[in-house]
Amino acid sequence: MRTNQTMDLKTDGTPPRDSLDENTYLIAPAEASARSSHTPSKQSSTSTRDHAWNILLSTTLSRLGSRTWEFATPLLLLEWSPGSLAAPATLGLASALFRTLVSPWLGGLADEWNRMNTVLIGTSMQALGCLVSVGALILYNFLIENNVSGDKRALERLVSLAVVIAAGVVEALGAQLTSVSVKKEWLPLVFDESANSQVSFSKEKRTILALVDLPDRITLSFINTTMTNIDLISAMFGPILAGWILEVLGFGSDSIQRGFAVIALVNVISFVPEIYLLRRVYLSCPSLQRSRGNCRGNSQSSSQPVVTAENSPLGKKGDSSVEQDLAPWVVWSNHPSGLPLLTLSLASLYMTALSPSGVVLTSYLVTIGLSPTAIGAFRGVGAISGVIGICSFSLLRKGDNGDREADERAALSASIKSIELLRRLSLAFLLLEVVSVLVAAAAYATCDTAYVISPLVKSSEALPWQILLFLGAIVVSRAGLYSFDVGVLEIEQYLVDERYRNAVGSVEGALCSLCEMGMYVLSILLPKPSQFGWQVGVSATAVSFGGVCFAAFLCLYHMHLHHHHEDDDDGHSHHHNLRCHHHNHKHTLQQERELNEFGYHVHLHRHGPLRTQISWSNLRLGW
């Protein structure tokens, strides 16, 4: 049996000289085999830049198309059901419900599929949803022209509404499947593989637009933050673009059907270059073509370790069924390194009515007399706040990168510190989110809301200072939310077993959708503007709960370096300040690769509340 021993570290975080081979240091899972086989080259650096451009351009097409579609679809439903919000509300609830119930199942299947096929299936579902909605629109108009009966017209309208809602659900499921696959699985494999082997050979930069460029050294953190910024910018300009298309193609009428059909068909066409760009990345990146290990439906690659019941990341010792089918929820709940706590901390933030782009808050702002222009400006400022927060997060994160090629013997320490800095930065921005939401809730609680929604105040231009503080705090909270989302994404990319990234990502999406659905249901049960305080209170409670979950994740799960020997069967041991603790722990496939090649690995594992004195001393040392 193998004994796991944590290597003692100096106070500056540097491992002892005799504990590591001079050329051995922590590397990301996908680069473990590549590190020893080749040295940095201009070709690898150029290839990484090409991958970055292809993925970012594909993401831009995908997100901009999705935002225009999400804006236009509810408007079409409103045209078919004038005077009622039931159809758009049904679309929102149905999408959230099916993402909660179906996405984990799809994610589990995606972990069996070829990675390129996963993206193809996701985009095909999106295209199918768009085409079916256009087909329903054409059929509805054809039937209306040939049937004048009122009863038949009502039935045809109802059926058309149901078909468009179903198409919207299919499109939403496909969009989530594609997004999870690219963000959770593709990015860690593509950019971790060559991040440490990139070398700047020239000061010249390759650009597509004169004012757009990529840094000399492309990291996973840079790609994560850039993709999130693309999503925020798409959220700002997607509705503007869709509104312009709907207005121009309406030709002065109130109908948006022609504009909706054009938006849907342009979305379908845009999937072609999107798939082409991702396929270029797939064909030129060996890591994406690599088997996931002993995952269902995949033959195990000879370069991957044999995972037994003893070291399985999700199975228990002596469990002969570890290689049988595992439900995504089981994978998520049994995943090591505190992943459930991390996921809950993020999902809790989605049970909120305090989102500038949210339907609930927008409806309330209308009731207190804000004009559409003011609401649009409020949404735009919220998105800008998110971009500023992400840029700040990226700058603080960039200061940690340094030049790791300068001293390879210190790279292990630098990598561990990088992960711990990432966790602490995520905590700082989450605190910004929590404090801002609590300030917003306090401001709303001190305001005379019955006076605010009265017709007299609605007709005036001035709003009470409490409402202005309420809206300002919501804007500031966006900076914390989106930065924390980027931090959690990068932590999960490091933690999650690569065989189950789609399943785990889909479970996270399901939990987020469940929390969104909870706020919709609460708003349906308490629909009056005078009852909006309940939504504010629940939002503040849910966000605070997310902060507690992440604080528990930091306190209970600590980073340790483990050195393994094949001498006894006493399980796992690691040392802190001459104290030794013995316990068994699970390994992800990435950690097994590191163990097989180097005899050690670094991971987060539960240390227990009684170890907090030791953990805080580690934090003071930069761990």
Side-chain angles (χ1 to χ4, degrees), residues 492-546:
E492 288 178 340
Q493 288 169 337
Y494 170 78
L495 292 182
V496 177
D497 192 307
E498 68 177 51
R499 292 168 295 183
Y500 307 106
R501 281 173 172 157
N502 287 292
V504 170
S506 297
V507 168
E508 179 186 284
L511 289 172
C512 293
S513 297
L514 181 63
C515 290
E516 288 181 346
M517 189 166 56
M519 185 53 63
Y520 285 139
V521 172
L522 179 63
S523 299
I524 292 174
L525 296 177
L526 302 171
K528 297 181 180 179
S530 59
Q531 298 172 320
F532 186 66
W534 286 98
Q535 284 93 318
V536 175
V538 170
S539 301
T541 302
V543 170
S544 299
F545 176 74

Side-chain angles (χ1 to χ4, degrees), residues 375-601:
I375 295 175
F378 174 62
R379 286 189 173 195
V381 173
I384 293 173
S385 174
V387 172
I388 293 174
I390 291 173
C391 291
S392 301
F393 183 92
S394 180
L395 289 174
L396 293 171
R397 186 88 170 93
K398 190 179 298 182
D400 168 67
N401 288 336
D403 186 6
R404 296 185 183 177
E405 291 86 357
D407 185 5
E408 293 186 351
R409 289 172 298 186
L412 175 59
S413 172
S415 298
I416 298 174
K417 287 182 177 180
S418 175
I419 297 168
E420 283 303 316
L421 176 62
L422 176 62
R423 298 210 300 164
R424 292 198 295 273
L425 276 178
S426 300
L427 175 63
F429 281 95
L430 177 58
L431 287 176
L432 175 62
E433 159 79 359
V434 173
V435 171
S436 299
V437 168
L438 291 178
V439 169
Y444 188 86
T446 60
C447 181
D448 185 358
T449 54
Y451 173 74
V452 170
I453 62 176
S454 65
L456 178 63
V457 175
K458 288 173 64 177
S459 62
S460 66
E461 296 182 0
L463 288 174
W465 66 267
Q466 295 97 330
I467 294 297
L468 295 177
L469 178 59
F470 170 73
L471 298 178
I474 291 175
V475 168
V476 174
S477 72
R478 298 295 92 184
L481 172 65
Y482 289 113
S483 300
F484 178 71
D485 183 73
V486 171
V488 170
L489 173 61
E490 192 166 344
I491 293 172
E492 288 178 340
Q493 288 169 337
Y494 170 78
L495 292 182
V496 177
D497 192 307
E498 68 177 51
R499 292 168 295 183
Y500 307 106
R501 281 173 172 157
N502 287 292
V504 170
S506 297
V507 168
E508 179 186 284
L511 289 172
C512 293
S513 297
L514 181 63
C515 290
E516 288 181 346
M517 189 166 56
M519 185 53 63
Y520 285 139
V521 172
L522 179 63
S523 299
I524 292 174
L525 296 177
L526 302 171
K528 297 181 180 179
S530 59
Q531 298 172 320
F532 186 66
W534 286 98
Q535 284 93 318
V536 175
V538 170
S539 301
T541 302
V543 170
S544 299
F545 176 74
V548 171
C549 287
F550 193 75
F553 170 70
L554 289 183
C555 292
L556 296 178
Y557 292 86
H558 309 144
M559 181 71 67
H560 297 299
L561 170 64
H562 304 287
H563 195 195
H564 292 243
H565 293 289
E566 303 283 350
D567 42 13
D568 70 42
D569 58 354
D570 198 19
H572 166 74
S573 65
H574 60 271
H575 303 272
H576 296 286
N577 301 330
L578 301 181
R579 302 184 186 185
C580 182
H581 314 287
H582 297 270
H583 61 86
N584 293 321
H585 72 277
K586 303 172 184 177
H587 292 149
T588 63
L589 186 62
Q590 301 94 297
Q591 292 164 355
E592 282 295 321
R593 285 205 196 96
E594 294 173 1
L595 289 175
N596 283 4
E597 186 161 353
F598 306 115
Y600 66 85
H601 70 95

Side-chain angles (χ1 to χ4, degrees), residues 106 138 149 236 337 362 392 412 502 521 537 579:
L106 277 178
I138 295 173
S149 172
M236 293 173 58
S337 302
T362 299
S392 301
L412 175 59
N502 287 292
V521 172
R579 302 184 186 185

Side-chain angles (χ1 to χ4, degrees), residues 43-314:
Q43 182 178 2
S44 64
S45 180
T46 301
S47 177
T48 302
R49 294 176 65 82
D50 290 340
H51 294 338
W53 275 122
N54 289 331
I55 289 178
L56 293 178
L57 288 175
S58 174
T59 300
T60 301
L61 291 173
S62 174
R63 298 312 302 154
L64 191 60
S66 293
R67 293 298 184 177
T68 56
W69 164 266
E70 292 167 3
F71 181 83
T73 303
L75 296 182
L76 177 68
L77 297 177
L78 282 174
E79 181 176 326
W80 284 357
S81 57
S84 173
L85 296 177
T90 301
L91 173 62
L93 284 175
S95 297
L97 179 62
F98 275 88
R99 284 199 301 266
T100 302
L101 299 178
V102 179
S103 286
W105 172 72
L106 277 178
L109 292 178
D111 283 324
E112 305 177 27
W113 299 334
N114 174 285
R115 293 182 178 93
M116 190 66 224
N117 288 344
T118 301
V119 175
L120 282 171
I121 292 172
T123 52
S124 297
M125 292 174 64
Q126 290 180 269
L128 177 63
C130 293
L131 291 175
V132 168
S133 64
V134 173
L137 177 62
I138 295 173
L139 181 61
Y140 171 76
N141 283 278
F142 175 78
L143 294 176
I144 290 298
E145 291 179 359
N146 292 276
N147 294 280
V148 295
S149 172
D151 293 338
K152 287 186 177 181
R153 178 168 297 187
L155 178 62
E156 290 160 358
R157 179 182 290 112
L158 181 62
V159 172
S160 300
L161 284 171
V163 172
V164 172
I165 290 172
V169 169
V170 172
E171 194 277 341
L173 290 173
Q176 181 162 319
L177 178 63
T178 303
S179 176
V180 167
S181 179
V182 173
K183 282 188 174 182
K184 306 287 186 179
E185 186 169 27
W186 283 51
L187 296 187
L189 294 176
V190 172
F191 295 100
D192 274 4
E193 179 182 35
S194 54
N196 289 332
S197 64
Q198 296 176 52
V199 177
S200 179
F201 288 88
S202 173
K203 294 297 182 182
E204 294 184 1
K205 297 181 178 181
R206 300 166 57 202
T207 61
I208 292 181
L209 298 176
L211 299 179
V212 179
D213 211 338
L214 296 178
D216 291 334
R217 187 171 183 272
I218 300 172
T219 63
L220 181 60
S221 178
F222 168 79
I223 293 297
N224 287 333
T225 55
T226 303
M227 290 182 68
T228 305
N229 280 330
I230 288 173
D231 192 18
L232 283 173
I233 294 172
S234 299
M236 293 173 58
F237 294 104
I240 296 175
L241 176 61
W244 178 79
I245 293 174
L246 295 175
E247 182 177 355
V248 170
L249 295 181
F251 300 114
S253 67
D254 293 332
S255 177
I256 65 166
Q257 295 185 24
R258 283 186 294 270
F260 174 83
V262 169
I263 289 174
L265 293 176
V266 170
N267 259 296
V268 173
I269 296 172
S270 71
F271 294 139
V272 176
E274 180 183 341
I275 287 297
Y276 169 75
L277 292 169
L278 290 178
R279 183 167 176 79
R280 287 188 60 186
V281 176
Y282 177 80
L283 294 177
S284 59
C285 183
S287 291
L288 292 176
Q289 303 172 39
R290 187 182 62 203
S291 168
R292 293 184 179 91
N294 62 333
C295 190
R296 294 168 292 169
N298 282 327
S299 59
Q300 184 165 325
S301 172
S302 59
S303 64
Q304 296 171 338
V306 176
V307 181
T308 65
E310 174 187 355
N311 56 32
S312 170
L314 301 172

